[in-house]
Amino acid sequence: MIEEKFDAIVIGAGMSGNAAAYTMASQGLKVLQLERGEYPGSKNVQGAIMYANMLEKIIPDFRDDAPLERHLVEQRLWVMDDTSHTGIHYRSDDFNEAKPNRYTIIRAQFDKWFSRKVREAGATVLCETTVTELVRDAKDRVVGVRTDRAGGAIFADVVVLAEGVSGLLGPRAGLREIPKPQTVALAVKEMHFLPEEVIEQRFGLKGDEGCVIEAVGTTSRGMAGLGFLYTNKESISLGIGCLVSDFAAMMESPYVLLDALKNHPSIRPLIAGSEVKEYAAHLIPEGGYKAIPQLFGDGWVVVGDAAQLNNAVHREGSNLAMTSGRIAAEAIVKVKSRNGPMTKRNLALYKAMLDKSFVVKDLRKYKDMPALLHTNSCNFFATYPRLMSQAAQNFMRVDGTPKIEKEKATTAAFIKARSRWGLVSDAVRLAFAWR
Ligand SMILES: Cc1cc2nc3c(=O)[nH]c(=O)nc-3n(C[C@H](O)[C@H](O)[C@H](O)COP(=O)(O)OP(=O)(O)OC[C@H]3O[C@@H](n4cnc5c(N)ncnc54)[C@H](O)[C@@H]3O)c2cc1C
């Protein structure tokens, strides 16, 4: 194995690891990046919407050669019951700008591209290499790693743990806990392949324009969960995720939910005739602000999903991963530039910088959000979607019933389902969650 010592070892070649490795290598640090997958991206799952602003801060001209699918011009938010959807759509030609803000991507291709950039910046990247443990010195400082390859330890001044939400190294080393079932969602996703022109015709798109649908409702069987449909160039990503604790409590399985979503009358025509070529399942950290672990210590920092830096309310993860990876790297470069040791005290700079960024500010804003949606979620994910559909139908059917009676019937249906007090209490909880 490798004998030399590195300035930094990065564990993982996902969004956060690539951002960290690229930033440090391009600032002249000697970086080794280790990835257990056959190639970067082979193990990674995302919807996937990628947020340009956060990548621009790392690679400003990424649009020149990054494998981007479609830029988003339309977002649909649906509340579904078993036969209908009630929705808000937003579409704007303003999103057809010279530098679009959000793109769909396919992680296997995107991560390979990002990794090429990391190598070009000067880092050494080794795939098919699983880090098996962190190496500590007599003073309990992290000083390197051991891998499943032959040879001894590899040493570095600092180790960046970018091992994702299911990473075991941090928990095994006692740096953080394994995420609890009530703080992680399990999401499943299929890739439905269709000719480009069929996708464009079905969603009213032209060129590289893209559309996304995000849906809550009875497809998650009363569990806190979100379904999604994202348009790529020649495929549609379709998936759904719910909290692991909910799956366990309700004895439900994710692929049953995905089947229900695929067969929903509002979704089925959009994927009709497609060929499914990929199926993936992955965890998503959803613990919010309160679940963020200790982010730094003597000789180590943790970034991205491994640090639970994921905004479940806004379905953002890759941007928090890239930003935390970049900021951790910038902090390390700063400490290095003043010849400081990578002590806990010096690496606290990473946390101080992250606290000032949107990452922590956004997570802090919604710190109680998961608790709200995870408690008594059946009302938000089953009762209200059904009531909304009934109310919409009642309103739209013209059948000679006086409008005043229709209004009374809708109000009575809501009160019967939830009681006046239940309605007020749910409204207050919702208002507080989004305050
Ligand atoms: C279904 C789904 C849909 C999503 N949709 C979106 C979306 O649309 N937009 C968005 O912004 N985010 C989305 N996310 C979240 C996003 O995917 C994550 O936030 C992001 O991938 C986190 O990046 P990361 O680098 O922290 O972790 P990962 O991308 O998981 O990378 C971790 C890497 O570490 C490697 N690794 C782990 N352990 C070891 C080890 N011991 N040795 C060597 N290598 C190791 C893994 O192989 C992996 O490559 C979605 C997630 C899922 C599951």
Side-chain angles (χ1 to χ4, degrees), residues 384 387 411 414-415 418-428:
Y384 288 121
L387 288 169
T411 311
F414 272 78
I415 291 171
R418 280 297 286 143
S419 81
R420 278 178 206 278
W421 170 241
L423 291 170
V424 171
S425 119
D426 285 347
V428 169

Side-chain angles (χ1 to χ4, degrees), residues 52-60 326 330:
N53 173 280
M54 290 76 201
L55 183 56
E56 263 169 359
K57 291 198 163 72
I58 301 164
I59 305 179
R326 171 180 63 80
E330 286 172 355

Side-chain angles (χ1 to χ4, degrees), residues 248-282:
M250 304 280 286
M251 309 272 280
E252 286 284 0
S253 77
Y255 51 86
V256 171
L257 301 194
L258 186 56
D259 259 0
L261 185 65
K262 281 193 305 194
N263 287 309
H264 190 281
S266 298
I267 296 285
R268 205 170 44 228
L270 300 174
I271 54 167
S274 64
E275 190 186 349
V276 180
K277 290 195 188 161
E278 286 173 40
Y279 179 89
H282 206 280

Side-chain angles (χ1 to χ4, degrees), residues 11-17 34-36 43-49 51 107 129-131 162-164 169 187 228 230 282-284 304-305 310 315-319 321:
I11 305 169
M15 288 291 200
S16 60
L34 302 167
E35 165 58 47
R36 65 183 174 164
K43 297 272 181 194
N44 301 339
V45 182
Q46 193 174 324
I49 302 177
Y51 304 91
R107 278 291 296 270
T129 309
T130 301
V131 176
E163 54 179 335
L169 291 164
F228 60 86
Y230 298 159
H282 206 280
L283 295 176
I284 307 179
D305 274 13
N310 197 297
R315 290 102 36 228
E316 293 176 22
S318 63
N319 50 339

Side-chain angles (χ1 to χ4, degrees), residues 45-305:
V45 182
Q46 193 174 324
I49 302 177
M50 194 278 295
Y51 304 91
N53 173 280
M54 290 76 201
L55 183 56
E56 263 169 359
K57 291 198 163 72
I58 301 164
I59 305 179
D61 57 357
F62 76 88
R63 290 180 183 83
D64 291 351
D65 57 356
L68 306 168
E69 293 289 310
R70 292 178 180 274
H71 69 273
L72 297 179
V73 296
E74 180 174 339
Q75 178 134 357
R76 307 179 188 175
L77 300 171
W78 286 1
V79 178
M80 299 166 107
D81 76 348
D82 296 344
T83 55
S84 74
H85 71 264
T86 315
I88 304 172
H89 293 191
Y90 184 74
R91 182 184 179 116
S92 174
D93 201 38
D94 294 346
F95 290 130
N96 279 319
E97 53 210 329
K99 293 187 169 183
N101 179 254
R102 299 183 305 163
Y103 294 89
T104 50
I105 55 165
I106 295 173
R107 278 291 296 270
Q109 295 164 12
F110 185 85
D111 287 13
K112 265 192 203 164
W113 166 85
F114 206 165
S115 183
R116 181 164 55 78
K117 294 284 170 189
V118 172
R119 281 173 227 250
E120 284 168 9
T124 304
V125 182
L126 282 186
C127 291
E128 296 186 285
T129 309
T130 301
V131 176
T132 50
E133 66 173 314
L134 302 180
V135 178
R136 293 175 189 260
D137 68 6
K139 292 188 176 163
D140 217 25
R141 292 176 299 210
V142 173
V143 290
V145 301
R146 274 197 188 82
T147 75
D148 61 351
R149 289 192 181 218
I154 316 171
F155 295 97
D157 291 337
V158 63
V159 173
V160 178
L161 290 119
E163 54 179 335
V165 60
S166 340
L168 292 171
L169 291 164
R172 270 195 209 136
L175 306 183
R176 61 174 194 277
E177 289 178 10
I178 287 186
K180 298 185 175 67
Q182 59 274 25
T183 64
V184 277
L186 175 61
V188 286
K189 172 189 147 176
E190 279 180 358
M191 296 280 279
H192 289 252
F193 283 78
L194 281 167
E196 209 169 326
E197 58 281 8
V198 173
I199 294 177
E200 285 163 13
Q201 185 237 324
R202 281 184 192 172
F203 292 87
L205 306 168
K206 59 178 186 337
D208 285 344
E209 288 177 345
C211 167
V212 300
I213 301 174
E214 290 182 325
V216 293
T218 55
T219 38
S220 69
R221 313 248 162 125
M223 300 184 283
L226 180 88
F228 60 86
L229 183 156
Y230 298 159
T231 52
N232 304 314
K233 271 196 186 108
E234 293 180 340
S235 62
I236 288 174
S237 305
L238 184 71
I240 188 162
C242 293
L243 281 182
V244 170
S245 53
D246 276 1
F247 276 127
M250 304 280 286
M251 309 272 280
E252 286 284 0
S253 77
Y255 51 86
V256 171
L257 301 194
L258 186 56
D259 259 0
L261 185 65
K262 281 193 305 194
N263 287 309
H264 190 281
S266 298
I267 296 285
R268 205 170 44 228
L270 300 174
I271 54 167
S274 64
E275 190 186 349
V276 180
K277 290 195 188 161
E278 286 173 40
Y279 179 89
H282 206 280
L283 295 176
I284 307 179
E286 296 207 346
Y289 182 72
K290 288 177 180 164
I292 301 175
Q294 174 66 28
L295 293 173
F296 59 93
D298 282 322
W300 64 272
V301 293
V302 57
V303 295
D305 274 13

